[in-house]
Amino acid sequence: MFRLTHRNKTVGYYSTAMDALYKFIEEEEERIHATDLIFCGTDREAYFEVFEEEPPKGLTEDCFIIIDGDSITLVESRDPYDIMRGLYRVNKDWDIIEEDDDDEEEEGE
């Protein structure tokens, strides 16, 4: 279970880190209209369009780009910890926290 927070306030609980990231994108898009998630995979042209530089050689099918305002980062896999680090790099007000199911039950009591 993954908890999405904004400035330490819980936005929601999600079954995957990717679902939490989608919610972040939705919330930020409503707020600032300058947020996007681009699945570039191995598409070197898509990477170049965003970063305006040649991509690293290690692009894989799982690569995607998070854009939030002027902050842009490449996330190289869909591993929860890579997603969490990517979100932290583009916006430190938001966080994805992995929790045990027991933690969520305690908060809900």
Side-chain angles (χ1 to χ4, degrees):
M1 186 66 57
F2 296 88
R3 179 168 53 113
L4 177 65
T5 65
H6 180 240
R7 296 185 177 150
N8 297 319
K9 293 182 182 172
T10 299
V11 174
Y13 290 90
Y14 304 89
S15 58
T16 68
M18 201 70 200
D19 288 342
L21 182 62
Y22 285 135
K23 182 63 177 176
F24 157 76
I25 295 293
E26 178 184 313
E27 293 286 321
E28 280 292 272
E29 181 60 26
E30 267 183 38
R31 198 172 68 76
I32 65 169
H33 306 292
T35 303
D36 205 355
L37 186 62
I38 300 170
F39 290 92
C40 62
T42 57
D43 186 345
R44 299 174 69 78
E45 286 181 32
Y47 180 95
F48 186 83
E49 279 184 38
V50 173
F51 286 97
E52 298 179 346
E53 63 183 44
E54 287 299 314
K57 293 185 181 196
L59 289 180
T60 68
E61 288 298 321
D62 289 335
C63 289
F64 60 93
I65 300 165
I66 304 171
I67 303 170
D68 189 37
D70 291 334
S71 299
I72 303 171
T73 192
L74 175 69
V75 179
E76 296 178 2
S77 82
R78 295 186 189 186
D79 177 82
Y81 297 103
D82 285 344
I83 293 169
M84 290 177 206
R85 280 189 295 274
L87 177 57
Y88 182 79
R89 287 192 301 257
V90 296
N91 192 321
K92 292 174 179 60
D93 288 341
W94 290 83
D95 200 9
I96 298 172
I97 302 163
E98 185 173 23
E99 297 194 341
D100 295 333
D101 290 334
D102 293 340
D103 292 342
E104 179 188 355
E105 288 173 15
E106 287 174 15
E107 283 187 20
E109 291 178 2

